[in-house]
Coordinates of all heavy atoms in Angstrom, one line a residue:
E33 N -18.3 -7.0 10.8 CA -18.0 -6.0 11.7 C -16.6 -5.5 11.6 O -15.6 -6.3 11.8 CB -18.3 -6.4 13.2 CG -19.8 -6.8 13.4 CD -20.0 -7.2 14.9 OE1 -19.0 -7.3 15.6 OE2 -21.1 -7.6 15.2
F34 N -16.4 -4.3 11.2 CA -15.1 -3.7 10.9 C -14.6 -2.9 12.1 O -15.3 -2.0 12.6 CB -15.1 -2.9 9.6 CG -15.3 -3.7 8.4 CD1 -16.5 -3.9 7.9 CD2 -14.2 -4.2 7.7 CE1 -16.7 -4.6 6.7 CE2 -14.3 -4.9 6.5 CZ -15.6 -5.1 6.0
T35 N -13.4 -3.3 12.6 CA -12.8 -2.5 13.7 C -11.7 -1.6 13.1 O -11.1 -2.0 12.1 CB -12.3 -3.5 14.7 OG1 -11.3 -4.3 14.1 CG2 -13.4 -4.3 15.3
P36 N -11.4 -0.5 13.7 CA -10.3 0.4 13.3 C -9.0 -0.3 13.3 O -8.7 -1.1 14.2 CB -10.4 1.6 14.2 CG -11.7 1.5 14.8 CD -12.1 0.1 14.9
S37 N -8.2 -0.1 12.3 CA -6.9 -0.7 12.2 C -6.0 -0.1 13.3 O -6.2 1.0 13.8 CB -6.2 -0.4 10.9 OG -6.0 1.0 10.7
T38 N -5.0 -0.9 13.7 CA -4.2 -0.5 14.9 C -2.7 -0.3 14.5 O -1.8 -0.4 15.3 CB -4.3 -1.6 16.0 OG1 -3.9 -2.9 15.4 CG2 -5.7 -1.7 16.5
G39 N -2.5 0.0 13.2 CA -1.1 0.2 12.8 C -0.3 -1.0 12.5 O 0.9 -1.0 12.5
N40 N -1.0 -2.1 12.3 CA -0.3 -3.4 12.1 C -0.4 -3.9 10.6 O -0.3 -5.1 10.3 CB -0.8 -4.5 13.0 CG -0.4 -4.2 14.4 OD1 0.7 -3.7 14.7 ND2 -1.4 -4.4 15.3
L41 N -0.6 -2.9 9.7 CA -0.6 -3.3 8.3 C 0.8 -3.7 7.8 O 1.8 -3.3 8.3 CB -1.1 -2.1 7.4 CG -2.5 -1.6 7.7 CD1 -2.7 -0.3 7.0 CD2 -3.5 -2.6 7.3
E42 N 0.8 -4.6 6.8 CA 2.1 -5.0 6.2 C 2.0 -4.6 4.7 O 0.9 -4.6 4.1 CB 2.3 -6.5 6.4 CG 2.6 -6.8 7.8 CD 2.9 -8.3 8.0 OE1 3.3 -8.9 7.0 OE2 2.8 -8.8 9.1
F43 N 3.2 -4.4 4.1 CA 3.2 -3.9 2.7 C 4.2 -4.8 1.9 O 5.2 -5.3 2.4 CB 3.7 -2.4 2.7 CG 2.9 -1.6 3.6 CD1 3.4 -1.1 4.8 CD2 1.6 -1.2 3.3 CE1 2.7 -0.3 5.7 CE2 0.9 -0.4 4.2 CZ 1.4 0.0 5.4
S44 N 3.9 -4.8 0.6 CA 4.8 -5.6 -0.3 C 6.1 -4.9 -0.5 O 7.1 -5.6 -0.9 CB 4.1 -5.7 -1.7 OG 3.8 -4.5 -2.2
R45 N 6.2 -3.7 -0.2 CA 7.5 -3.0 -0.2 C 7.4 -1.7 0.7 O 6.3 -1.2 0.8 CB 7.9 -2.6 -1.6 CG 6.9 -1.7 -2.3 CD 7.3 -1.5 -3.8 NE 6.6 -2.4 -4.7 CZ 6.8 -2.4 -6.0 NH1 7.6 -1.5 -6.6 NH2 6.2 -3.3 -6.8
D46 N 8.6 -1.3 1.1 CA 8.5 0.0 2.0 C 8.8 1.2 1.2 O 8.5 2.3 1.7 CB 9.5 -0.1 3.1 CG 11.0 -0.4 2.6 OD1 11.2 -0.2 1.4 OD2 11.8 -0.7 3.5
T47 N 9.2 1.1 -0.1 CA 9.4 2.2 -1.0 C 9.0 1.8 -2.4 O 9.4 0.7 -2.9 CB 10.9 2.7 -1.0 OG1 11.3 3.0 0.4 CG2 11.1 3.9 -1.9
V48 N 8.2 2.6 -3.0 CA 7.9 2.4 -4.4 C 8.7 3.4 -5.3 O 8.6 4.6 -5.2 CB 6.4 2.7 -4.7 CG1 6.0 2.5 -6.1 CG2 5.5 1.8 -3.8
Y49 N 9.6 2.8 -6.0 CA 10.4 3.6 -6.9 C 9.7 3.6 -8.3 O 9.6 2.5 -8.9 CB 11.8 3.0 -7.1 CG 12.6 3.0 -5.8 CD1 12.7 1.9 -5.0 CD2 13.3 4.1 -5.4 CE1 13.4 1.9 -3.8 CE2 14.1 4.1 -4.2 CZ 14.1 3.0 -3.4 OH 14.8 3.0 -2.3
L50 N 9.4 4.8 -8.8 CA 8.7 4.9 -10.1 C 9.7 5.1 -11.2 O 9.4 5.6 -12.3 CB 7.7 6.0 -10.0 CG 6.3 5.6 -9.4 CD1 6.4 5.6 -7.9 CD2 5.2 6.5 -9.9
D51 N 11.0 4.8 -10.9 CA 12.1 4.9 -11.9 C 12.2 6.3 -12.4 O 11.8 7.3 -11.8 CB 11.9 3.9 -13.0 CG 11.9 2.5 -12.4 OD1 12.9 2.2 -11.8 OD2 11.0 1.7 -12.7
T52 N 12.7 6.5 -13.6 CA 13.0 7.8 -14.2 C 12.0 8.1 -15.2 O 11.6 7.3 -16.1 CB 14.4 7.8 -14.8 OG1 15.4 7.4 -13.8 CG2 14.8 9.2 -15.3
I53 N 11.5 9.4 -15.2 CA 10.5 9.8 -16.2 C 11.0 11.2 -16.7 O 11.8 11.9 -16.1 CB 9.1 10.0 -15.6 CG1 9.1 11.0 -14.5 CG2 8.6 8.6 -15.2 CD1 7.7 11.3 -14.0
F54 N 10.5 11.6 -17.9 CA 10.7 12.9 -18.4 C 9.7 13.9 -17.9 O 8.6 13.5 -17.6 CB 10.7 12.9 -19.9 CG 11.9 12.3 -20.6 CD1 11.9 11.2 -21.3 CD2 13.2 12.9 -20.4 CE1 13.0 10.6 -21.9 CE2 14.3 12.4 -20.9 CZ 14.2 11.2 -21.7
S55 N 10.1 15.1 -17.8 CA 9.2 16.1 -17.3 C 7.9 16.2 -18.1 O 8.0 16.1 -19.4 CB 9.9 17.5 -17.4 OG 9.0 18.5 -17.0
N56 N 6.8 16.2 -17.4 CA 5.4 16.3 -18.1 C 5.0 15.1 -18.9 O 4.0 15.1 -19.6 CB 5.3 17.5 -18.9 CG 5.3 18.8 -18.1 OD1 4.6 19.0 -17.2 ND2 6.2 19.7 -18.4
I57 N 5.7 14.0 -18.7 CA 5.3 12.7 -19.4 C 4.9 11.7 -18.2 O 5.7 11.5 -17.3 CB 6.4 12.1 -20.2 CG1 6.7 13.0 -21.4 CG2 6.1 10.7 -20.7 CD1 7.7 12.5 -22.4
G58 N 3.7 11.2 -18.3 CA 3.2 10.3 -17.3 C 4.1 9.0 -17.2 O 4.6 8.5 -18.1
S59 N 4.2 8.5 -15.9 CA 4.9 7.3 -15.7 C 4.1 6.1 -16.0 O 2.9 6.2 -16.3 CB 5.3 7.3 -14.2 OG 4.1 7.0 -13.4
S60 N 4.7 5.0 -15.9 CA 4.0 3.7 -15.9 C 3.2 3.6 -14.6 O 3.4 4.4 -13.7 CB 4.9 2.5 -16.1 OG 5.5 2.5 -17.3
T61 N 2.3 2.6 -14.5 CA 1.6 2.4 -13.3 C 2.3 1.3 -12.4 O 2.7 0.3 -12.9 CB 0.2 1.9 -13.6 OG1 -0.5 2.8 -14.4 CG2 -0.6 1.6 -12.3
Y62 N 2.6 1.7 -11.2 CA 3.2 0.8 -10.2 C 2.2 0.4 -9.2 O 1.2 1.1 -8.9 CB 4.4 1.5 -9.6 CG 5.5 1.8 -10.6 CD1 5.4 2.8 -11.5 CD2 6.6 1.0 -10.7 CE1 6.4 3.1 -12.5 CE2 7.6 1.2 -11.6 CZ 7.5 2.3 -12.5 OH 8.5 2.5 -13.4
N63 N 2.5 -0.7 -8.5 CA 1.5 -1.2 -7.5 C 2.2 -1.5 -6.2 O 3.4 -1.8 -6.1 CB 0.8 -2.4 -8.0 CG 1.7 -3.7 -8.1 OD1 2.1 -4.2 -7.1 ND2 2.0 -4.1 -9.4
L64 N 1.4 -1.3 -5.1 CA 1.7 -1.6 -3.8 C 0.6 -2.5 -3.2 O -0.6 -2.2 -3.4 CB 1.8 -0.3 -2.9 CG 2.0 -0.5 -1.4 CD1 3.4 -1.0 -1.1 CD2 1.7 0.8 -0.7
K65 N 1.0 -3.6 -2.5 CA 0.0 -4.5 -2.0 C 0.0 -4.3 -0.5 O 1.0 -4.3 0.2 CB 0.3 -5.9 -2.3 CG -0.9 -6.8 -2.2 CD -0.7 -8.2 -2.9 CE -1.9 -9.0 -2.9 NZ -1.7 -10.3 -3.5
V66 N -1.2 -4.1 0.1 CA -1.4 -3.9 1.5 C -2.1 -5.1 2.1 O -3.1 -5.6 1.7 CB -2.3 -2.6 1.8 CG1 -2.4 -2.3 3.3 CG2 -1.7 -1.4 1.1
Y67 N -1.5 -5.6 3.2 CA -2.0 -6.9 3.8 C -2.5 -6.6 5.2 O -2.0 -5.9 6.0 CB -0.8 -7.9 4.0 CG -0.2 -8.3 2.7 CD1 1.0 -7.6 2.2 CD2 -0.7 -9.3 1.9 CE1 1.6 -8.0 1.0 CE2 -0.1 -9.7 0.7 CZ 1.1 -9.0 0.3 OH 1.6 -9.4 -0.9
N68 N -3.7 -7.3 5.5 CA -4.2 -7.4 6.8 C -4.0 -8.8 7.3 O -4.7 -9.8 6.9 CB -5.7 -7.1 6.8 CG -6.4 -7.3 8.2 OD1 -5.7 -7.4 9.2 ND2 -7.7 -7.4 8.2
R69 N -3.0 -9.0 8.1 CA -2.6 -10.4 8.5 C -3.4 -10.8 9.8 O -3.3 -12.0 10.2 CB -1.1 -10.4 8.9 CG -0.2 -10.0 7.8 CD -0.1 -10.9 6.7 NE 1.1 -10.6 5.8 CZ 1.3 -11.2 4.6 NH1 0.4 -12.1 4.2 NH2 2.3 -10.8 3.9
S70 N -4.2 -9.9 10.3 CA -5.0 -10.2 11.5 C -6.2 -11.1 11.3 O -6.6 -11.3 10.1 CB -5.4 -8.9 12.2 OG -6.5 -8.3 11.6
D71 N -6.8 -11.5 12.4 CA -8.1 -12.3 12.3 C -9.3 -11.5 12.2 O -10.4 -12.0 12.2 CB -8.1 -13.3 13.4 CG -7.0 -14.3 13.4 OD1 -6.6 -14.8 12.3 OD2 -6.5 -14.7 14.5
N72 N -9.1 -10.1 12.2 CA -10.2 -9.2 12.3 C -10.4 -8.5 11.0 O -9.5 -8.1 10.3 CB -10.0 -8.2 13.4 CG -9.9 -8.8 14.8 OD1 -10.6 -9.8 15.1 ND2 -8.9 -8.4 15.6
D73 N -11.7 -8.2 10.7 CA -12.0 -7.3 9.6 C -11.7 -5.9 10.1 O -12.2 -5.5 11.1 CB -13.4 -7.4 9.1 CG -13.8 -8.8 8.7 OD1 -12.9 -9.5 8.2 OD2 -15.0 -9.2 8.9
I74 N -10.9 -5.1 9.3 CA -10.5 -3.8 9.8 C -11.0 -2.7 8.8 O -11.2 -3.0 7.6 CB -9.0 -3.7 10.0 CG1 -8.3 -3.9 8.7 CG2 -8.6 -4.7 11.1 CD1 -6.8 -3.7 8.8
S75 N -11.0 -1.5 9.3 CA -11.2 -0.3 8.5 C -10.0 0.6 8.8 O -9.7 1.0 9.9 CB -12.5 0.4 8.9 OG -12.7 1.6 8.2
I76 N -9.4 1.0 7.6 CA -8.3 2.0 7.7 C -8.9 3.4 7.7 O -9.5 3.8 6.7 CB -7.3 1.8 6.6 CG1 -6.9 0.3 6.5 CG2 -6.1 2.6 6.8 CD1 -6.1 -0.1 5.2
P77 N -8.8 4.1 8.8 CA -9.5 5.4 8.8 C -9.1 6.4 7.7 O -9.9 7.1 7.2 CB -9.0 6.0 10.2 CG -8.7 4.8 11.0 CD -8.1 3.8 10.0
S78 N -7.8 6.3 7.3 CA -7.4 7.2 6.1 C -6.2 6.6 5.4 O -5.4 6.0 6.0 CB -7.1 8.6 6.6 OG -5.9 8.6 7.4
V79 N -6.3 6.8 4.1 CA -5.1 6.5 3.2 C -4.9 7.8 2.4 O -5.9 8.2 1.7 CB -5.4 5.3 2.3 CG1 -4.2 5.1 1.4 CG2 -5.6 4.0 3.2

């Protein structure tokens, strides 16, 4: 049973810096980890 999240997500970082790229050249792939520290299964309404 998934309950709506209440704004208590935690993140591996507060800013993702994709470093420097040249115009029209794709960047590397960077990652962000999102944590649900609660005891409830949650549903995030929108990302």
